[in-house]
Amino acid sequence: MQNPAPAFMKFLPLSPVPGPRRRVPAGDGGRERDIVVIGAGLAGLTAALHLTGAGHRVTVVDSADHVGGRCATEEVRVPGAGVTVRTDTGATVWTMPQLVESALSAVGKRISDVDPAFRVERLAPAYHAMFHDGRALDVYGDASRMAAEIARFAEAGGDDPAPRVEGYHRLREWLAEMFASAYPHFMAASFDSPLDMVGDSGTAGDLGHLLQLGAFGSLGGRVESLLGDELLARVFSFQALYAGVAPKSARAVYGCIAHMDTSMGVFYPTASRTGSGMGAIAEVMAEAFVGAGGTLRLSAPVTGLAVDGRGRGVTAVECGDESLPCDGIVATVDLPVVKGWLDDAGAPAKKRIIPTRSSPSAMVAHGAAPVEVTRKWPDRHHLISFGEAWDDTFRQISSPRGGSLMSDPSLLVTRPAFTCPDRIVIDAEGREWEPVSVLAPCPNLASADVDWDLVGPAHLAEVTAVLEDRGLTGISERWSVGRLDTPATWAEQGMIDGSPFGLAHLFRQTGPFRPRNLSPRLPSNLVLAGSTTVPGVGVPTVMLSGALAADRFTGGAVR
């Protein structure tokens, strides 16, 4: 891959440590088993590669006709523009790309072995942040470039740049220390009990260091105190929304996400056999999996599970009229879907399931805009438009009940053609169009009872009018939308409470308190992966979850 970032590799074990105490029982079949992985997203493909590399016979099934799950690149028809564009319909922010190499290494491959055309670019800047006072800030992973940008931003606001720059360097060091302590024993680890946090000297030592760092205080408060500027603090704390909590409410340990974004770097696949886009990540993993002897079945929706007479183990995965016998499964779908299958199979949870709270959701619109319009916008891959209100609007979308749409929205605009000009398409009249996507955070379905079929188009019109006022001239009139995803469409895809971000990272849903990937409440050979189990939400974290799920079968073979 291009643009490697070796500076942070010393903080980054490429596979989970330490191993969990509980394993899936070996059963009568010995070590080699028939395992069905439900879901061909990054979590499922990571698990499948590790399981295949350990000698198991693995079948991956997915209801979609393509791989990628919540990290896919799809063709979107835009009738108003008369074109079809390739659009990232899920995640657009990719950090820790070396986890892909780690997954492929389980079957003895590197990315270059599987797809010599695969190329990755580190986005510089990762984001372009625009604020209500007219100022803007580019966000770089390189410390010197970021320091210079912060100095320029401070001077534009009439502030002394020296304290801001000094605060940034202290913030960067603090985030790096926290990541180094949190990654090996908390982010890349399974848990069987809260006691696992002190189960060995390494884990206990890292927990103590996190306490010394103030990891369980307020993320937003700590970042703002270091930088001395509320607007700057947003750039290094908005990532808490990925974890489903408002920055001021988030524990400081979620600064690890900010560290991955703003120090370790944001990356993007610029080329592959299937073209540029986030979906190329899953494509190269799927190709390696099939090449290693795995079976991939797309357009194969799971309709249920078969369990043995005592409800202790899953014996088959039902895909329509076909039954796939198995010795175990890895389920990457959201936990309520798994519970529904078990209830239908007559194997309800053995104990009461603790109520969970989902992350806020998002309305995401995908379409195309004329290049003659977009060339007037900031030339950046990711544009973040921050509203003046901040804490209030996050409270609006993250309230467990009585949530509402953001009254002063903060929005993410994605323009992949800035990084990959091959994404620009030409219509029948010779006009150039580029794909443009807009994400507006919003409450999930449990938080706010919104009729999205009615409200969605109206809210989108409001959002585009806001972006027009904030400087994206022409977006309200010239941007044509081809696809609109809302909490209602996410719910139709089986996502908990209509949120693509899974369970919120409240303290009671974090680390050892998050639903376990091998739970005594579920059949003994059913392992969870994805955003409703450990370690949590996001591209790198769900890949870790897949490796951790495989580890429950292999007994440490993935390390």
Side-chain angles (χ1 to χ4, degrees), residues 111 238 320 386 388:
I111 289 177
F238 81 88
F386 289 109
E388 182 175 2

Side-chain angles (χ1 to χ4, degrees), residues 353-480:
I353 297 295
I354 298 173
T356 57
R357 186 192 297 181
S358 302
S359 298
S361 188
M363 181 186 74
V364 187
H366 304 287
V371 170
E372 65 187 64
V373 170
T374 60
R375 67 165 55 103
K376 301 172 185 177
W377 302 352
D379 281 336
R380 298 292 186 267
H381 191 117
H382 291 120
L383 310 176
I384 303 177
S385 175
F386 289 109
E388 182 175 2
W390 183 243
D391 296 333
D392 288 343
T393 52
F394 273 111
R395 280 193 288 268
Q396 289 170 342
I397 65 168
S398 60
S399 171
R401 296 290 183 270
S404 62
L405 301 178
M406 279 186 166
S407 57
D408 182 20
S410 293
L411 306 164
L412 173 66
V413 179
T414 304
R415 298 178 56 200
F418 169 72
T419 304
C420 303
D422 65 292
R423 303 285 276 279
I424 293 174
V425 296
I426 302 175
D427 66 15
E429 298 180 7
R431 291 173 298 190
E432 293 182 321
W433 297 78
E434 72 162 284
V436 175
S437 298
V438 175
L439 182 151
C442 66
N444 62 47
L445 295 178
S447 172
D449 184 14
V450 174
D451 183 348
W452 280 101
D453 290 337
L454 177 65
V455 172
H459 187 46
L460 179 59
E462 294 172 349
V463 164
T464 53
V466 167
L467 289 171
E468 182 89 24
D469 289 343
R470 295 179 183 174
L472 296 192
T473 305
I475 192 169
S476 60
E477 297 292 336
R478 305 291 303 279
W479 177 46
S480 296

Side-chain angles (χ1 to χ4, degrees), residues 126-216:
Y127 305 98
H128 179 74
M130 303 180 293
F131 298 92
H132 69 277
D133 64 358
R135 288 186 292 167
L137 179 79
D138 281 330
V139 182
Y140 293 98
D142 178 77
S144 60
R145 294 184 75 179
M146 190 70 245
E149 187 69 3
I150 286 175
R152 183 196 61 77
F153 185 81
E155 289 173 347
D159 296 324
D160 181 359
R164 303 287 185 262
V165 172
E166 181 184 354
Y168 163 68
H169 286 298
R170 287 190 289 127
L171 171 64
R172 187 182 176 98
E173 182 179 353
W174 176 66
L175 292 174
E177 282 193 65
M178 191 152 50
F179 181 85
S181 290
Y183 183 86
H185 296 108
F186 300 100
M187 293 175 63
S190 294
F191 294 94
D192 295 318
S193 162
L195 294 176
D196 290 349
M197 291 193 297
V198 293
D200 62 70
S201 58
T203 306
D206 280 340
L207 178 61
H209 191 213
L210 288 172
L211 289 169
Q212 290 177 345
L213 291 170
F216 302 103

Side-chain angles (χ1 to χ4, degrees), residues 190-352:
S190 294
F191 294 94
D192 295 318
S193 162
L195 294 176
D196 290 349
M197 291 193 297
V198 293
D200 62 70
S201 58
T203 306
D206 280 340
L207 178 61
H209 191 213
L210 288 172
L211 289 169
Q212 290 177 345
L213 291 170
F216 302 103
S218 165
L219 173 63
R222 180 63 180 271
V223 173
E224 186 173 342
S225 70
L226 286 168
L227 292 173
D229 184 307
E230 188 268 336
L231 296 185
L232 277 178
R234 296 182 188 186
V235 172
F236 297 92
S237 61
F238 81 88
Q239 295 86 353
L241 185 60
Y242 299 156
V245 286
K248 285 287 178 68
S249 302
R251 298 306 90 199
V253 70
Y254 293 118
C256 290
I257 309 174
H259 175 69
M260 289 186 284
D261 262 18
T262 64
S263 295
M264 296 169 69
V266 174
F267 298 79
Y268 193 75
T270 57
S272 74
R273 284 179 180 151
T274 58
S276 63
M278 296 292 285
I281 305 169
E283 292 283 356
V284 74
M285 295 173 70
E287 187 172 344
F289 166 66
V290 172
T295 300
L296 175 63
R297 303 185 58 170
L298 300 176
S299 301
V302 173
T303 55
L305 304 176
V307 298
D308 66 19
R310 294 173 291 180
R312 294 181 180 175
V314 177
T315 58
V317 174
E318 309 295 342
C319 289
D321 296 331
E322 187 175 4
S323 182
L324 303 176
C326 62
D327 302 309
I329 69 170
V330 174
T332 70
V333 296
D334 284 359
L335 186 54
V337 176
V338 177
K339 293 176 185 174
W341 288 334
L342 292 173
D343 288 343
D344 292 343
K350 299 175 184 177
K351 300 178 182 178
R352 182 178 67 88

Side-chain angles (χ1 to χ4, degrees), residues 459-508:
H459 187 46
L460 179 59
E462 294 172 349
V463 164
T464 53
V466 167
L467 289 171
E468 182 89 24
D469 289 343
R470 295 179 183 174
L472 296 192
T473 305
I475 192 169
S476 60
E477 297 292 336
R478 305 291 303 279
W479 177 46
S480 296
V481 176
R483 172 170 164 175
L484 180 63
D485 289 325
T486 70
T489 56
W490 304 126
E492 290 171 0
Q493 297 174 46
M495 299 182 196
I496 183 170
D497 292 330
S499 173
F501 305 110
L503 296 184
H505 281 263
L506 309 173
F507 181 77
R508 69 172 188 269

